[in-house]
Amino acid sequence: MFHFLNDYSESAHPDIITAMHDAHLQQHKGYGFDEYSERVRDQIKAQLSDPDIAIHFGITGTQANLVCIDAMLTPIDGIIACDTGHIAVNEAGAIEATGHKVILAESKDGKLTIEALDKVRVRHSFTPHVVRAKAVYISNTTELGTVYSYHELKAISDYCRKHDMYLFMDGARLGAAIASSHANPDDKDMSIADYAQLTDIFWFGGTKMGAMFGEILIIPNKKIATDFNIYLKRHGGLMAKGYLLALQFEVLLKDNKYLELCHHANTMAKKLAEGIQSCGIELFVPAQSNQVFALMPQALIATLKNDFEFYEWEQLDNGFSIARLVTSWATPEMQVDRFVQLLQKATSNN
């Protein structure tokens, strides 16, 4: 049994395991004041136009989201998110628990559009009767694996600045998004520097691109950066053994190792998507990164699950379901081939 359930099933890339083993008897300062954390901050800042941008480390994605949102909003503020957004549907009310309303907007292929954003912002301008829409949340890649182009992000960024709103980007799979943009000849290759110019605060996820755990929080907006470490501590995100977070990113950033790993995951997903389509099965959304969403008969899903695990994402009312398959830095190509072969056999018998 092999599964395409997620991109964090394997503990970590072997180079990270080796680095953690080599450092395990060394002594380090706590709470991000160690030499690993300083070196990683320098590595990130070397890619940015502003060397004074604040950089912190987080432990998990949900925690990163709630800390970032709480640090940027006042008690009367809410944040706009797609109806598919992670903070809206998969974080057990974590954002609302900080006292901030998540304001839903319609999505298109998992993305937030200017039209949907404007409609919600206008509706939330009738103060004092409604929560003020002060920030916008997007994720890249999105929860459906789609990737914002540079022009799409620039449009949202310009809109937010025009209306005095913060733009916050969840980067749980930002590595996959960057690797995807480097494979798209019709769009500008995106970099960490581009995201720093377009957003007020974002994070760069390690958990889903080969790290054991950990995220880098990058805060271009200096107003939000003020006292951010206090919010991080208040929400239990300031890890005493912070060097364990940083040394993993030192491995991933060296020679752009993370791009190599994310490119592999994206390539395996592309091959998987092409194999699925070759069997006459439609994709729910375009496969642009390391997640594939396919429209499959529920009977076919049951057959495939005899050999593979993956999510039946959503049951439809026509006997079909949306199946989600996720590849990772460690996905063997032979398992992708085996899945496609099984699919070919199952569909040819019908």
Side-chain angles (χ1 to χ4, degrees), residues 69 72-73 77-83 85 87-88 95 100-106 112-125 131-139 148 156 159-160 163 165-168:
I69 291 171
M72 77 175 80
L73 299 183
D77 294 329
I79 185 165
I80 297 173
C82 283
D83 50 19
I87 63 170
I95 308 308
H100 304 292
K101 182 178 179 62
V102 177
I103 306 164
L104 298 185
E106 291 183 3
L112 181 65
T113 65
I114 295 296
E115 292 75 19
L117 173 56
D118 190 59
K119 183 178 179 180
V120 173
R121 183 196 64 81
V122 170
R123 191 169 69 239
H124 278 262
S125 299
V131 169
R132 181 173 61 179
K134 182 61 178 176
V136 171
Y137 166 95
I138 60 173
S139 52
Y148 284 93
I156 294 174
Y159 183 95
C160 288
H163 295 285
M165 303 170 76
Y166 298 126
L167 179 57
F168 168 48

Side-chain angles (χ1 to χ4, degrees), residues 45 51-56 217-220 225 228:
K45 288 179 179 181
D52 294 327
I53 288 178
I55 297 172
H56 299 274
L217 315 180
I218 302 171
I219 316 173
F228 186 86

Side-chain angles (χ1 to χ4, degrees), residues 9 30 146 163 258 280 304 323:
S9 345
T146 49
H163 295 285
Y258 79 92
L304 294 171

Side-chain angles (χ1 to χ4, degrees), residues 290-305:
N290 69 316
Q291 297 187 79
V292 180
F293 290 80
L295 296 166
M296 293 185 180
Q298 288 156 11
L300 176 59
I301 290 175
T303 297
L304 294 171
K305 283 196 170 187

